[in-house]
Amino acid sequence: MSFATIEARAAAIHCHLFLLCPNNSGSTYLSGAIGRSSHVWSLEREGQHVVGFGGPSTMATPWPLIWGGTPESLAHFAEADYDWERTRKAWYFHAKAAREDAPVFHTKSPPFLLVADQLRSKFEGARFLLMVRDPYATIEGIIRRRSRSQSVENPADLVRVAARHLVTCFEYQRRNITLLGESAVFFTYEDLCAEPCKIAGRITDLVPDLDDLDLVQTIPVKGSYEEPLRNMNDQQIARLDPQDRAIANEVFEPNRSVLEAFGYTLLD
């Protein structure tokens, strides 16, 4: 691809739409549906994993799903020196769209919720979708994926760090709601599953170009199967054993107000 082509894409794009939410919170479906709009440039991978991204990627760290769980991991992402100009060029190079004059660029990467202020200042027409999900269901997803992808010496420690990670994410998300104001819309995963047409309308109000957004379609998930939008909280929470819940609650109890700010309560 030539430099002129990248510049042409830059000239067409007047809105950058970022989906900010903790990992394992339903972003794969939502981001995939947005990417199917005829008005959107999107990436096949998370923005942090695209070749040329000028910042830290979770794939190159010990914390791919728990990057907010310790001071060390949090600092690695929140205090990194991001090169957004290099990143913009890499994203435009790799992005795909139904038409060359698509006006919206979209991407998501969970750690980006730590640097929302940078995204707002570095990208023209930055708009944000802010989402959270029931923390117990999210923990189950983290446990299952990490246990499958890498060895876990102490499962109890993983649950504890995952719970701390989610408290951190919720704290940052609460700040983002205030920080981003009218350039963002907030909703929960549960809202999205219960009222997808209503949420689609709210997203379209934020970004009018997304007038063909469809949140009831079936799309590929994780590159392996077709999946409609459905709330999977109950089945995931049911897979947590009592010990996992108890360990999570050791972290959640002193941070109860953070969860309650988003409508979540502790499970017995």
Side-chain angles (χ1 to χ4, degrees), residues 47-258:
Q48 64 166 329
H49 299 321
V50 169
V51 175
F53 172 64
S57 165
T58 57
M59 297 288 285
T61 74
W63 320 292
L65 300 176
I66 51 174
W67 37 266
T70 68
E72 179 188 6
S73 60
L74 178 59
H76 182 81
F77 293 94
E79 300 174 15
D81 184 14
Y82 290 86
D83 186 340
W84 293 116
E85 188 55 37
R86 172 187 171 188
T87 293
R88 181 198 309 270
K89 293 176 182 177
W91 284 350
Y92 287 178
F93 179 87
H94 292 286
K96 296 182 179 180
R99 51 184 239 256
E100 282 294 321
D101 62 344
V104 179
F105 174 86
H106 165 68
T107 191
K108 63 110 172 178
S109 290
F112 286 178
L113 70 81
L114 304 176
V115 293
D117 56 335
Q118 295 186 39
L119 297 172
R120 183 180 62 172
S121 65
K122 297 297 183 180
F123 291 91
E124 177 187 1
R127 296 292 182 268
F128 300 88
L129 307 179
L130 309 178
M131 184 169 68
V132 294
R133 183 188 183 187
D134 183 290
Y136 294 94
T138 308
I139 283 179
E140 190 280 330
I142 292 172
I143 295 172
R144 177 162 36 86
R145 286 186 60 192
R146 280 187 65 93
S147 298
R148 187 172 60 209
S149 63
Q150 59 192 108
S151 63
V152 178
E153 294 184 4
N154 190 330
D157 285 347
L158 174 58
V159 175
R160 188 170 290 108
V161 174
R164 290 174 184 157
H165 163 68
L166 290 173
V167 169
T168 297
C169 290
F170 278 36
E171 289 174 337
Y172 270 85
Q173 201 69 300
R174 186 161 57 172
R175 297 177 202 172
N176 288 339
I177 291 171
T178 301
L179 170 72
L180 300 173
E182 294 184 356
S183 65
V185 293
F186 167 77
F187 48 88
T188 67
Y189 166 83
E190 294 78 22
D191 295 333
L192 176 65
C193 293
E195 300 183 291
C197 294
K198 178 180 178 180
I199 298 302
R202 293 183 61 197
I203 294 173
T204 302
D205 288 342
L206 181 71
V207 184
D209 287 308
L210 299 183
D211 56 9
D212 59 348
L213 179 61
D214 179 4
L215 296 184
V216 297
Q217 62 182 304
T218 299
I219 65 173
V221 174
K222 307 298 184 185
S224 60
Y225 57 94
E226 295 280 327
E227 179 75 357
L229 179 63
R230 60 189 179 92
N231 189 330
M232 300 178 69
N233 283 355
D234 288 347
Q235 68 188 76
Q236 290 191 239
I237 294 172
R239 286 197 287 257
L240 285 176
D241 63 38
Q243 182 181 13
D244 292 335
R245 291 193 188 190
I247 293 170
N249 282 344
E250 291 175 7
V251 177
F252 290 155
E253 175 61 39
N255 297 283
R256 179 190 293 266
S257 62
V258 179

